[in-house]
Amino acid sequence: MVIEVRNLLKRYGELVAIKGLSFEVKKGEIFGLLGPNGAGKTTTIRILMDILKPDEGEVKVLGRNPSEVKEKVGYLPEERGLYQGLGVLETLVYFAELKGVPSSIAKERAISFLEKVDLLDRAKGKVKELSKGMQQKLQFIASIIHDPEVVFLDEPFQGLDPVNVELIKGLITELRDQGKTVVLSSHQMNLVEALCDRILLINKGEAVLYGPIREIKKRFTPNTILVKSPQLPPTIKGVQSVAKKDDAFMLTLAEGVSPQSVIKALVEEGVELEAFEVAPVPLEDIFVKVVKEGKA
Amino acid sequence: MRFSKVWTIIKHEYITNVRRPGFIIMTAIVPALALIGLLVGAYGGGIFKGMAQSLADFFEGTSKRIGVVDGTGFFTPLLPEYENNFVLFGGEEEARKALEGEKLDAVLVIPSDYIETGKVKVITRGSGFEAVAFEDSEWFKGFLVSHLLRGKVEPAVSRRAADPVKVEPEVLGEKGKVQGGGPWGILFTFIIPYFLAFMLIMTIFVSSGYLLQGIAEEKENRVMEIIVSSVSPLELLVGKVVGLGAVGLTQVLVWILSALGFTGGAVLLLTISAFSLPPSTLVLLVIYYVLGFAIYAFLMAGIGSLGTTMRESQQLAGIFSMFAAAPYMLSGFLMANPNLTIARVLSFFPLTAPTMMLFRLPLAKVPWVDVAGSLVVLSLSLLGAIWLGEKLFRVGILIYGKRPSWKEIWLILRSS
């Protein structure tokens, strides 16, 4: 395991921000750390980055105390910024040097990354001369320039246009392909869904959902299918009820009946099928439902 | 603590800050003003010299024409050396008319009972200020003494009575060794403590300004969190204190050297003065300077980091500047007696000890108890300042938006 968290507890005065949180992150996965505002995501990440100290519990990153592995970890915080008066290249070299990379190597890597994100022509300019989107990309590079083994990305897509979202998505999957571990925190559920292997959803400092994204979605998918057809027979084998929904029919299946067996039955009865869909539940709906209900 | 990280921060802080336009302008302003002063002085020297002479004459009266009504006989006739400025009149009325006709600047009426009472009447035009100025005029006193002693003592004695003393000071060091004579001796006694204490206070003011500005900026532009994900708050704090301390020292040194340079020869005096101190004192001075700066810087950075804006940080940290400057208020007493009880007491208080000892050490032989005691106090205080500064800094750098109350700070500190 790359990250191990056991019974983590963090208080701010009287407020208990994290209440006995436990989870693990495997090597080479993209792990989604999700939750509504104030749920405790940033506090958890700050503890994993050794910016805050836990009050109770055990935290290990790469098998060690977070303070011992700072150079192997990258961090893009949600509350972020850059030295506006500093040069673009100079900024990257400074952040890399702070992570223990010699300046000559840092310079080479910075140039290579700037080229990758189409900012090489701005290398000698000042940070303040960059647009907001360009600064976002620069911050992303700053978090991975030292070739970390684990990267924490807190809202990496915030304020990016669709083109740059795709660019950052590409860089994140590239990190996974290189065997790096990525912990991603984002409110853009479609992107989390597209990128993450597993997720942890926390609410009010407690874990409410944890596991592979596919299994979680399966758990929340209702046993219904959408069928587009001019007419359906009055009874269908394995179907409990039929309801009209817009220009289609919503079929609720009986317990243990698979969508495939219903399709087979419809085809056998000679029903003319225009479209057929197993209605998936978006992660966003699961998120809203779980947070509103308070538990999974 | 990893020193390679600290060194990276020191370099970054120093280089980025000395490149700032604000630093360059502020650093250049003192030499520029000194240069302007020098040029104005060179071109307008004659005018200023004339003005200065007029001012001196106003108080000394050396170019005045004064009518004398002598009721005693001591001033009749006038001594030749005073004939250019003084004119004898037979009566007060005649002298008053000459004054009204602007032939005289003042009339001096010396009554017959002058020897018994010492009272004279001075009549002037306009304000009475000029008449009062006569009382303190050495030149005027000389006029009276010379005439009173005429014929009674030798002329040389009379001249000495009129101008009795020219002090040539001499300062004795350890074992009766002469350290400096004449005006140099006086300068020697005063310049080192003033210079060192001034340097310390200025460095604290200037560097803390940059320190607070740096912290406030990094908090405002949110860079702080990225940095503390790479280095520990202590490494960041030490890097900032040393880097920005060097920035402040650079600025103060440029100011002092340029200002001294323009005054001509003063740098040489300072160097000679510094080297004529015993080496042990010099070493102690440097130790006090470093300890003093470090204690103030760590505490100010810690407290200042709790503010959410530059202004707030300055308000929070401002109280320390007052402590640093406090010994200056006692400088008059210290010059007379560097081992005053209050000076000794303040030498054991961590926030006043550095400036106090910088003042006392060059002035006299300070009891070894004071030196050892204050060094122990300062060393322990430095550890305390680093500990407290780091705690506050660790909490403060992640506070955005509203400044926490003292109660909240206490709770956070306790829980951290």
Side-chain angles (χ1 to χ4, degrees):
Chain A
M1 288 298 160
V2 169
I3 295 170
E4 291 165 86
V5 176
R6 303 253 175 279
N7 306 315
L8 180 65
L9 192 128
K10 178 71 191 171
R11 291 187 197 92
Y12 292 118
E14 304 295 311
L15 175 81
V16 184
I18 306 286
K19 302 168 189 165
L21 193 65
S22 297
F23 65 94
E24 289 175 342
V25 180
K26 297 172 192 166
K27 182 172 166 50
E29 72 173 344
I30 301 179
F31 185 83
L33 185 59
L34 315 176
N37 295 331
K41 302 183 300 286
T42 301
T43 298
T44 306
I45 294 177
R46 281 177 175 175
I47 291 170
L48 289 166
M49 291 302 310
D50 190 45
I51 294 169
L52 292 175
K53 299 282 181 200
D55 292 315
E56 283 174 34
E58 194 185 357
V59 175
K60 279 189 177 169
V61 177
L62 296 164
R64 294 165 76 181
N65 186 303
S67 64
E68 297 167 12
V69 290
K70 283 192 167 188
E71 291 184 358
K72 294 177 178 174
V73 179
Y75 180 37
L76 177 71
E78 186 185 5
E79 295 279 6
R80 54 182 172 251
L82 294 161
Y83 295 106
Q84 296 296 311
L86 217 59
V88 171
L89 190 62
E90 208 177 349
T91 300
L92 290 174
V93 171
Y94 177 54
F95 286 146
E97 277 188 291
L98 286 179
K99 290 283 189 185
V101 181
S103 67
S104 56
I105 297 173
K107 209 169 176 180
E108 276 173 31
R109 282 194 201 161
I111 288 170
S112 154
F113 272 117
L114 286 171
E115 196 169 10
K116 211 171 207 173
V117 299
D118 211 16
L119 283 178
L120 190 57
D121 56 332
R122 305 290 190 132
K124 286 183 181 165
K126 289 260 162 69
V127 169
K128 63 183 170 198
E129 292 158 7
L130 301 181
S131 71
K132 201 181 163 196
M134 288 172 176
Q135 291 197 22
Q136 288 272 88
K137 289 195 281 186
L138 189 62
Q139 282 162 346
F140 187 87
I141 300 171
S143 67
I144 57 170
I145 191 163
H146 56 293
D147 194 25
E149 288 180 37
V150 189
V151 189
F152 292 90
L153 303 173
D154 201 350
E155 296 293 348
F157 307 107
Q158 210 174 49
L160 289 179
D161 62 39
V163 176
N164 283 315
V165 165
E166 283 307 311
L167 183 78
I168 298 297
K169 259 174 81 179
L171 288 171
I172 294 172
T173 46
E174 206 175 286
L175 285 170
R176 177 175 53 188
D177 296 344
Q178 291 166 2
K180 317 282 186 199
T181 307
V182 179
V183 176
L184 173 69
S185 177
S186 174
H187 283 124
Q188 281 144 300
M189 291 299 144
N190 57 329
L191 295 168
V192 172
E193 211 171 326
L195 286 166
C196 294
D197 304 300
R198 296 192 309 132
I199 60 160
L200 168 69
L201 175 61
I202 52 177
N203 190 26
K204 295 175 185 164
E206 289 177 296
V208 285
L209 263 185
Y210 173 50
I213 209 161
R214 194 178 291 175
E215 280 179 24
I216 288 171
K217 284 187 74 173
K218 207 169 166 186
R219 251 172 68 199
F220 280 83
T221 302
N223 211 10
T224 55
I225 54 172
L226 272 176
V227 173
K228 239 183 180 181
S229 171
Q231 202 175 1
L232 288 182
T235 56
I236 308 163
K237 194 182 166 191
V239 173
Q240 255 180 4
S241 62
V242 178
K244 186 92 172 117
K245 191 181 179 193
D246 302 327
D247 58 343
F249 296 98
M250 170 95 77
L251 279 59
T252 305
L253 313 186
E255 189 80 22
V257 175
S258 72
Q260 286 79 2
S261 62
V262 175
I263 297 296
K264 195 179 167 198
L266 287 172
V267 172
E268 280 171 2
E269 284 192 34
V271 175
E272 189 187 332
L273 291 175
E274 290 170 9
F276 170 85
E277 190 185 353
V278 179
V281 182
L283 191 59
E284 189 155 351
D285 290 4
I286 300 173
F287 180 98
V288 173
K289 183 178 159 63
V290 170
V291 170
K292 270 189 179 167
E293 290 175 4
K295 58 183 176 182
Chain B
M1 196 161 65
R2 292 156 300 179
F3 289 99
S4 62
K5 300 283 172 84
V6 176
W7 178 239
T8 304
I9 296 165
I10 293 172
K11 271 192 309 183
H12 170 81
E13 294 294 342
Y14 188 82
I15 293 167
T16 51
N17 279 287
V18 295
R19 281 192 324 208
R20 279 172 193 255
F23 175 86
I24 295 166
I25 292 167
M26 280 306 290
T27 308
I29 211 160
V30 171
L33 284 176
L35 188 65
I36 291 168
L38 206 68
L39 291 173
V40 170
Y43 282 105
I47 301 163
F48 286 122
K49 198 177 169 191
M51 279 170 66
Q53 189 60 50
S54 308
L55 208 63
D57 289 349
F58 176 77
F59 288 103
E60 279 299 304
T62 48
S63 69
K64 283 187 167 61
R65 199 155 168 78
I66 297 161
V68 180
V69 180
D70 181 16
T72 62
F74 280 104
F75 301 88
T76 310
L78 289 167
L79 286 165
E81 61 262 39
Y82 291 101
E83 277 176 353
N84 283 341
N85 295 99
F86 293 86
V87 185
L88 279 172
F89 282 85
E92 193 176 325
E93 277 309 305
E94 192 189 344
R96 275 180 187 271
K97 275 183 186 160
L99 180 67
E100 282 163 15
E102 298 192 5
K103 288 173 185 159
L104 295 173
D105 297 303
V107 169
L108 171 67
V109 181
I110 305 169
S112 54
D113 61 352
Y114 164 67
I115 296 298
E116 290 80 38
T117 65
K119 285 180 183 169
V120 296
K121 193 197 297 183
V122 176
I123 309 163
T124 56
R125 289 189 304 271
S127 76
F129 184 71
E130 214 171 331
V132 175
F134 267 86
E135 192 149 341
D136 284 327
S137 168
E138 291 298 325
W139 172 75
F140 180 58
K141 281 178 188 165
F143 166 78
L144 295 173
V145 171
S146 302
H147 284 89
L148 289 173
L149 297 180
R150 175 168 48 186
K152 295 180 181 69
V153 294
E154 284 179 26
V157 176
S158 173
R159 276 197 299 277
R160 186 50 53 237
D163 182 13
V165 64
K166 288 184 175 72
V167 176
E168 286 192 357
E170 191 172 294
V171 182
L172 283 188
E174 284 175 50
K175 296 172 190 167
K177 190 180 148 203
V178 176
Q179 284 187 324
W184 296 109
I186 292 296
L187 273 172
F188 167 80
T189 317
F190 285 83
I191 205 162
I192 290 288
Y194 257 98
F195 175 75
L196 287 171
F198 173 78
M199 275 276 282
L200 178 66
I201 293 166
M202 282 305 286
T203 324
I204 289 169
F205 278 124
V206 174
S207 303
S208 66
Y210 287 116
L211 198 61
L212 296 174
Q213 189 184 351
I215 293 169
E217 267 180 22
E218 282 180 3
K219 280 183 72 172
E220 279 169 24
N221 66 21
R222 307 291 198 250
V223 179
M224 195 62 97
E225 199 157 341
I226 299 178
I227 297 171
V228 289
S229 73
S230 305
V231 298
S232 71
L234 182 63
E235 287 163 346
L236 178 60
L237 185 61
V238 173
K240 277 189 174 294
V241 165
V242 178
L244 293 167
V247 172
L249 195 61
T250 305
Q251 189 164 66
V252 174
L253 277 175
V254 170
W255 287 348
I256 289 171
L257 290 178
S258 59
L260 291 177
F262 284 118
T263 60
V267 179
L268 187 67
L269 168 70
L270 194 72
T271 317
I272 294 167
S273 303
F275 282 102
S276 50
L277 281 173
S280 57
T281 307
L282 267 180
V283 171
L284 278 175
L285 291 175
V286 173
I287 292 172
Y288 279 110
Y289 179 84
V290 172
L291 282 173
F293 173 73
I295 288 173
Y296 273 104
F298 280 109
L299 286 178
M300 286 174 108
I303 297 274
S305 70
L306 297 172
T308 52
T309 59
M310 174 72 183
R311 183 185 287 264
E312 232 173 55
S313 299
Q314 275 177 330
Q315 282 169 353
L316 283 166
I319 188 151
F320 293 110
S321 312
M322 283 163 48
F323 281 108
Y328 252 91
M329 297 169 197
L330 294 170
S331 59
F333 301 107
L334 286 176
M335 293 295 172
N337 182 4
N339 291 328
L340 269 176
T341 310
I342 187 160
R344 296 191 66 184
V345 170
L346 289 177
S347 300
F348 286 88
F349 180 63
L351 293 177
T352 47
T355 4
M356 192 51 89
M357 290 304 279
L358 287 174
F359 253 119
R360 291 177 65 198
L361 277 169
L363 287 176
K365 191 165 172 56
V366 176
W368 70 268
V369 183
D370 294 18
V371 176
S374 60
L375 282 177
V376 169
V377 166
L378 285 175
S379 305
L380 292 176
S381 303
L382 177 60
L383 293 178
I386 294 174
W387 177 83
L388 183 64
E390 195 259 349
K391 282 258 179 204
L392 290 168
F393 193 66
R394 187 181 264 275
V395 173
I397 52 179
L398 296 176
I399 292 173
Y400 304 119
K402 183 183 149 285
R403 196 185 95 192
S405 66
W406 290 109
K407 192 186 166 196
E408 283 169 322
I409 293 167
W410 171 244
L411 284 172
I412 297 167
L413 274 178
R414 220 177 49 174
S415 69
S416 70

